[in-house]
Amino acid sequence: MAAIPVIDFSKLEGSERAETMAAIAAGFEHVGFFQLVNTGIPDELLERVKKVCSDCYKLRDEAFMDSNLAVKALAELVDKESEGGAPMRKIEGMDWEDVFTLHDDLPWPSNPPAFKETMMEYRKELRKLAEKMLGVMEELLGLEEGHIRKAFTNDGELEPFYGTKVSHYPPCPRPDLVDGLRAHTDAGGLILLFQDDRFGGLQAQLPDGSWVDVQPLDNAIVVNTGDQIEVLSNGRYKSAWHRILATRDGNRRSVASFYNPARLATIAPAIPAADNYPSFVFGDYMQVYVKQKFQAKTSRFAAMATTTTK
């Protein structure tokens, strides 16, 4: 099975720049996922992120087990199975995931005490990395410098949306009956993921339809693109389907940061092609996405084409 590419980001600054750019281009075009090492983010900071996120989940663990709908649904299924009921079917419409979102305009957890300071520092570093990656993407696509940020902000009138999703996937007694997170593509722009370096579960779908593990790698940052980059690149950098498998062992951590357009930003293809994607307001796309996240993205693009032709 093919492996997700691992790219040394520091080599962009040296004699191997051309080879590194080619590797990043291949990651965007052929898989839609790759991992960056030597990003310039201090290992000491990443170690602190691991600790505060782990400590935060310990405060949420009991509530997850008591109130998560997937936990309750699975318990009911297992009870029926033990009573000799009908063959078990996989739970649909639910995920084995504890999750909360960080954004500058939202309340932050006050415990553990070091959480906010650490995560604010981390988010600042990840934002810098995201903007560097947008610059790399612009160069690879032949776009003028700053084009993607201008598209995401209506030429500087708005602020891009930058949020961080902190997730944990606790041990699951029956991973055959529930997903950690159902298969989907991401709605927005560029996604930078700091995933668990001990426990796997994240998989990306290759163009041939097969699934490949995004292997745990110490202090690496996983990169993938969302639907808006697919539109901007006119299909050259397609958003990749991915999923998270529930597992019996370990409590998998996932910290995903999303650099997205502003809700009022107009997104349109920046590269001419025969099969153009529609142009639309990102907020309108999100209204469709929240209802169709786990469905084919082609229907979402089609809905936007219908909206723009009215």
Side-chain angles (χ1 to χ4, degrees), residues 98-110:
D98 175 76
V99 59
F100 61 94
T101 300
L102 303 177
H103 187 267
D104 292 344
D105 296 333
L106 296 176
W108 287 52
S110 56

Side-chain angles (χ1 to χ4, degrees), residues 116-132:
K116 183 173 182 179
E117 179 183 355
T118 298
M119 294 306 293
M120 287 183 71
E121 183 180 350
Y122 170 78
R123 275 171 45 81
K124 186 180 298 183
E125 290 290 332
L126 261 286
R127 181 165 186 153
K128 289 191 292 187
L129 179 59
E131 292 177 345
K132 286 181 185 177

Side-chain angles (χ1 to χ4, degrees), residues 41-282:
I41 301 171
D43 284 347
E44 177 273 334
L45 173 58
L46 295 175
E47 292 299 325
R48 280 193 284 130
V49 170
K50 294 176 191 177
K51 184 178 188 314
V52 297
C53 287
S54 175
D55 290 347
C56 188
Y57 177 72
K58 290 175 184 176
L59 301 173
R60 299 169 57 88
D61 178 40
E62 185 176 346
F64 173 79
M65 291 302 177
D66 287 344
S67 62
N68 182 272
L69 294 178
V71 172
K72 294 180 178 180
L74 182 60
E76 292 174 3
L77 272 183
V78 172
D79 285 345
K80 290 179 182 178
E81 184 181 49
S82 65
E83 295 169 1
M88 296 296 98
R89 293 184 178 179
K90 194 168 187 176
I91 296 170
E92 297 182 355
M94 299 181 191
D95 302 304
W96 193 268
E97 176 189 41
D98 175 76
V99 59
F100 61 94
T101 300
L102 303 177
H103 187 267
D104 292 344
D105 296 333
L106 296 176
W108 287 52
S110 56
N111 282 310
F115 182 87
K116 183 173 182 179
E117 179 183 355
T118 298
M119 294 306 293
M120 287 183 71
E121 183 180 350
Y122 170 78
R123 275 171 45 81
K124 186 180 298 183
E125 290 290 332
L126 261 286
R127 181 165 186 153
K128 289 191 292 187
L129 179 59
E131 292 177 345
K132 286 181 185 177
M133 286 303 303
L134 291 183
V136 169
M137 194 181 300
E138 288 161 350
E139 185 175 342
L140 291 170
L141 292 171
L143 301 175
E144 66 174 332
E145 184 179 353
H147 179 97
I148 297 176
R149 181 176 172 81
K150 288 179 181 178
F152 280 15
T153 63
N154 273 8
D155 206 14
E157 293 179 2
L158 307 165
E159 277 294 312
F161 176 87
Y162 177 58
T164 299
K165 174 184 156 187
V166 180
S167 303
H168 280 85
Y169 302 89
C172 177
R174 291 294 300 272
D176 57 316
L177 293 179
V178 65
D179 293 304
L181 180 61
R182 287 161 284 166
H184 63 286
T185 64
D186 291 320
L190 186 68
I191 300 88
L192 301 178
L193 168 69
F194 183 37
Q195 70 164 348
D196 204 290
D197 52 18
R198 298 169 300 160
F199 305 111
L202 175 61
Q203 293 187 325
Q205 189 174 45
L206 300 178
D208 64 5
S210 63
W211 290 91
V212 60
D213 293 331
V214 181
Q215 63 272 28
L217 186 61
D218 193 32
N219 290 349
I221 301 296
V222 180
V223 178
N224 72 284
T225 51
D227 297 344
Q228 307 314 302
I229 295 298
E230 179 167 338
V231 173
L232 277 165
S233 69
N234 222 337
R236 185 167 162 186
Y237 294 168
K238 288 184 167 58
S239 55
W241 284 85
H242 52 287
R243 67 187 181 186
I244 296 174
L245 304 179
T247 59
R248 290 183 180 273
D249 302 319
N251 180 24
R252 181 181 178 275
R253 179 197 66 254
S254 171
V255 185
S257 295
F258 299 81
Y259 194 100
N260 290 351
R263 291 191 70 88
L264 295 179
T266 298
I267 302 301
I271 300 174
D275 185 21
N276 284 337
Y277 286 72
S279 61
F280 49 81
V281 174
F282 179 57

